Amino acid sequence: MLSVVRDHLGQALFRRVAGPDGPATRARIHLTPGPRWFGPDRPIRAVHGDASMFIGGLSALLLQSLHPLAMAAVAGHSGYRGDPWGRLQRTSTFLAVTTYGTAEDAQRAVDQVRAIHERIRGTTADGEPYHAADPHLLGWVHAAETDSFLRAHQRFGARPLDPDGYDGYVADAARVARALGVIDPPRDRRELAARLAAYRPELRATPEARGTARFLLLQPPVPLAVRPLYGGLAANAVALLPPWARRLLGLPRIPLVEDIAIRPTGQALTRTIRWMMRPPTTPGPD
């Protein structure tokens, strides 16, 4: 009975994250023969395949929102409020294809994203123009995402990597970033930290960024029954942010509460998600 419940919950969560075509997409990604960008021993496979990505992904969205031009492009063109699950499904599929799929499928996915970025142009409320294909903006989105996924895996991963492994993860992520149009992406944790620091003078909490934080943290598009579970993930996503990012977003740190309650909750939730998302059980022979 427990395995049946687990399979049901896992399939429901997978449908939410991967969409109605998720099973077919997963089969194509993992079963299609051919060379891959990343072999089975590469760190990016360990990081992107772990339940810590649920927390890392939320944290990345909060961090990315702090660049006014990147946030304006998201607010004006992504439809993340009207179709948040669709955006999540497209993002998760892109990560899965580029991490585990054939080189041909990975390149096709990158080409599709680059074509979308090329069309996204506009002007912020302050009159500043933006273009989603701008390598500088792409570099910020990549650095914020990579740092968030790495932090989440360090804290909540089932099998955290050693320092060389995390440097390898940054190098693997740089392979995808270059394909997307990022110029000279960071290749290890030292370069990643330096790149994030270089963007700091450009960052601020615009009304759009604060609106995104309210949407993600206070008005999530999830059923009321699972809001407490989502709240635990969201609280850990906030706790994962660099202190300066939290200050910009007005999200104070409460050390005792975070250490005693929030982080253990994140560990329990990621263990639960990991349990739910294990491959479905199949009946044995009579």
Side-chain angles (χ1 to χ4, degrees):
M1 178 61 70
L2 185 61
S3 65
V4 172
V5 171
R6 187 203 72 194
D7 293 349
H8 177 74
L9 293 173
Q11 290 166 18
L13 180 59
F14 181 72
R15 283 195 299 270
R16 276 292 194 178
V17 173
D21 297 329
T25 301
R26 178 170 58 186
R28 189 190 77 243
I29 289 171
H30 293 282
L31 301 181
T32 302
R36 265 74 176 159
W37 281 358
F38 306 106
D41 61 336
R42 292 306 305 166
I44 194 170
R45 286 183 165 234
V47 174
H48 288 179
D50 191 84
S52 60
M53 290 285 284
F54 283 83
I55 294 175
L58 277 173
S59 193
L61 292 174
L62 293 168
L63 184 57
Q64 289 167 345
S65 75
L66 288 172
H67 197 293
L69 299 185
M71 188 63 243
V74 169
H77 301 273
S78 77
Y80 76 98
R81 286 179 182 267
D83 185 25
W85 288 108
R87 185 167 189 261
L88 172 63
Q89 290 157 11
R90 291 188 292 273
T91 300
S92 65
T93 298
F94 177 82
L95 288 170
V97 171
T98 52
T99 303
Y100 307 103
T102 65
E104 182 179 354
D105 274 353
Q107 186 60 55
R108 185 180 300 113
V110 164
D111 292 342
Q112 290 170 349
V113 170
R114 293 193 68 156
I116 293 170
H117 286 169
E118 192 59 42
R119 297 193 297 268
I120 296 176
R121 301 171 182 266
T123 305
T124 69
D126 295 330
E128 193 172 359
Y130 62 81
H131 183 199
D134 177 1
H136 186 69
L137 285 187
L138 291 172
W140 162 250
V141 171
H142 167 71
E145 179 180 273
T146 302
D147 184 67
S148 299
F149 292 166
L150 191 155
R151 285 171 178 262
H153 195 269
Q154 285 178 317
R155 185 170 295 183
F156 301 109
R159 288 176 289 278
L161 306 177
D162 61 19
D164 288 343
Y166 283 120
D167 281 341
Y169 170 66
V170 178
D172 288 347
R175 166 72 176 87
V176 181
R178 282 192 297 272
L180 284 169
V182 178
I183 297 173
D184 190 26
R187 291 158 294 181
D188 57 33
R189 288 173 301 150
R190 180 186 60 80
E191 291 185 3
L192 178 60
R195 190 65 51 88
L196 288 168
Y199 278 102
R200 287 275 302 276
E202 304 173 33
L203 307 181
R204 64 180 186 273
T206 62
E208 292 84 1
R210 292 193 178 95
T212 295
R214 285 194 299 271
F215 178 73
L216 293 174
L217 302 178
L218 303 178
Q219 303 165 325
V222 297
L224 287 175
V226 298
R227 289 260 177 117
L229 302 178
Y230 178 91
L233 295 175
N236 278 279
V238 171
L240 204 63
L241 288 168
W244 54 264
R246 295 181 63 164
R247 287 193 296 270
L248 285 175
L249 287 169
L251 301 170
R253 184 171 187 269
I254 309 174
L256 191 60
V257 173
E258 291 186 8
D259 293 342
I260 293 178
I262 292 179
R263 186 177 297 194
T265 298
Q267 292 166 339
L269 286 171
T270 48
R271 282 196 298 268
T272 301
I273 293 170
R274 206 171 285 125
W275 173 76
M276 289 165 52
M277 298 290 282
R278 276 162 42 191
T281 56
T282 54
D286 293 334

